[in-house]
């Protein structure tokens, strides 16, 4: 589904990703963890080309997105993204947030878009908030709306960039629960997270990044109970 | 002080006739300047260096020279450049539009750049192209923030429109001046003109507040 080959990314002279190669299969849930500044978010943002890779190749469903000929907008329609700070459109109601892209990009009818949106809002438990503006919602509610907004495009892949890091502790669970349901529904997911418990419980694989290098790639049980590298051991000692 | 409005009041309809011209110039120049301002601001934030440079050069020239000079160049210079004399009102609309576009583009640029980058990224991640992202996501949010500055610019434009007197356009200002010249009595017609401009600006301010209130409905 996603294949990354020798991915490099530099910001000026600062090389953030130093040649990462990996693969994420259909229906797989991958947790990307590592110390801050390790390049996790940059790695994720390269997958839908919010960051332009400096070098290397990325394929999404056999399409090379680093190729300039590839219609990246088309690819992005199939890759939903959830941000740390939600980035809901503040001047639109919750319902409009969900229907905007499907109407504009997929050109489906308004009634279809709204029906679909209401279904998704129900799924994340926020159907009653459809007519509210985002600033009337709590952080956890905003993030659930943001997840529903990404799902409204009916993507096959979902990227999560520290989805619970900006939330008050009591709201983390409601967002993780939505993500858990999504994972169990067979969605292909890449999640940058600091929630080790969640990674351990839900992920099929853990990618451990440090200093722009993919240091470990292992199933969660193996990674958390028996990390091979000293860097992963250090990291886990600090966070667990 | 001996103010006597009785002899001037019969000329009030004559002065008020200038309102049409004044409003025409202000409205058209305002709209054109606003549209051109948006285009210029998009050039300024573009990744293409040439567009940045052109838009910045434009602003620099129109902000760096007197408005009355620009008006006169357009009006009195047109026969030499275009081969025919353009009408005063047309020259005024072009002049004010070009000039206010320079100021408005700076206001809009700042407004766009104040919007969280995440808004654009969220739209990009949904596969929304650049144009609808700007039109539906970024500009509406920017407008809300810059409305007071924008209203300021339109108020300035309304008052500065009196400069068209210098290129022979029969606006409120010029008519008031003429009445004064005809009757050797300037104070009263000029005061009347002042009241007219003040009322115009007050209405504009009120409209601005109204729009601002409506845009704040999502807060």
């Amino acid at each position: 589904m996603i294949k990354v080959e020798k991915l490099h990314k530099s910001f000026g002279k600062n090389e953030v990703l130093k040649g990462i190669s990996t693969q994420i299969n259909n229906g797989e849930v991958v947790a990307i963890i590592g110390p801050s500044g390790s390049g996790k978010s940059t790695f994720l943002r390269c997958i839908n080309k919010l960051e332009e890779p400096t070098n290397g190749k990325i394929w999404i469903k056999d399409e090379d997105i680093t190729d300039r000929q590839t219609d990246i907008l088309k690819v992005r329609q199939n890759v939903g993204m959830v941000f740390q700070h939600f980035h809901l459109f503040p001047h639109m109601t919750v319902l409009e947030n969900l229907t905007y892209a499907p109407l504009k990009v997929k050109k489906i009818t308004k009634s279809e878009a709204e029906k679909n949106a209401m279904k998704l809002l129900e799924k994340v438990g926020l159907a009653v908030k459809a007519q509210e503006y985002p600033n009337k919602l709590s952080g956890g509610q905003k993030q659930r709306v943001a997840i529903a907004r990404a799902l409204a495009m009916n993507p096959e892949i979902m990227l999560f960039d520290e989805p619970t890091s900006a939330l008050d502790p009591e709201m983390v669970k409601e967002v993780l629960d939505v993500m858990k349901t999504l994972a169990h529904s067979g969605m292909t997911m890449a999640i940058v997270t600091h929630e080790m418990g969640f990674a351990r419980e839900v992920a099929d694989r853990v990618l451990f990044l440090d200093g722009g290098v993919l240091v470990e790639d292992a199933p969660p049980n193996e990674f958390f109970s028996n990390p091979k590298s000293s860097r992963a051991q250090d990291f886990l000692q600090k966070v667990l | 002080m001996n103010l006597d409005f009785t002899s001037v009041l019969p000329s009030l309809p004559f002065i008020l006739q200038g309102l049409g011209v004044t409003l025409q110039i202000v409205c058209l120049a305002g709209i054109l300047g606003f549209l051109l301002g948006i285009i210029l601001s998009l050039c300024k934030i573009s990744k293409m260096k040439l567009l940045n440079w052109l838009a910045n050069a434009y602003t620099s020239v129109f902000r760096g020279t007197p408005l009355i000079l620009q008006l006169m160049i357009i009006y009195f210079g047109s026969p030499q450049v275009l081969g025919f004399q353009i009408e005063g009102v047309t020259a005024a609309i072009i002049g004010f539009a070009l000039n206010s576009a320079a100021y408005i583009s700076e206001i809009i640029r700042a407004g766009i750049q104040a919007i969280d980058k995440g808004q654009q990224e969220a739209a990009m991640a949904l596969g929304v192209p650049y144009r609808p992202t700007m039109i539906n996501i970024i500009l509406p949010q920017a407008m809300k923030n810059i409305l007071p500055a924008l209203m300021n610019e339109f108020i300035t434009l309304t008052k500065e429109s009196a400069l068209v007197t210098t290129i022979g356009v029969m606006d409120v200002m010029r008519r008031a001046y003429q009445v004064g010249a005809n009757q050797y009595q300037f104070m009263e017609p000029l005061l009347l003109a002042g009241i007219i401009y003040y009322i115009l600006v007050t209405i504009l301010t009120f409209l601005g507040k109204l729009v601002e209130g409506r845009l704040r409905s999502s807060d």
Side-chain angles (χ1 to χ4, degrees), chain B residues 47-64:
Chain B
K47 283 189 183 129
M48 289 166 73
K49 288 270 175 294
L50 179 69
L51 290 181
N52 299 163
W53 186 86
L54 282 174
N56 285 327
Y58 178 97
T59 304
S60 172
V61 169
F62 277 91
R63 277 204 310 199

Side-chain angles (χ1 to χ4, degrees), chain A residues 198-216:
Chain A
F198 178 77
R200 188 168 202 159
E201 188 190 336
V202 179
D204 298 311
R205 260 166 65 210
V206 172
L207 304 185
F208 176 72
L209 263 65
D210 190 17
V213 179
L214 179 54
V215 180
E216 286 200 37

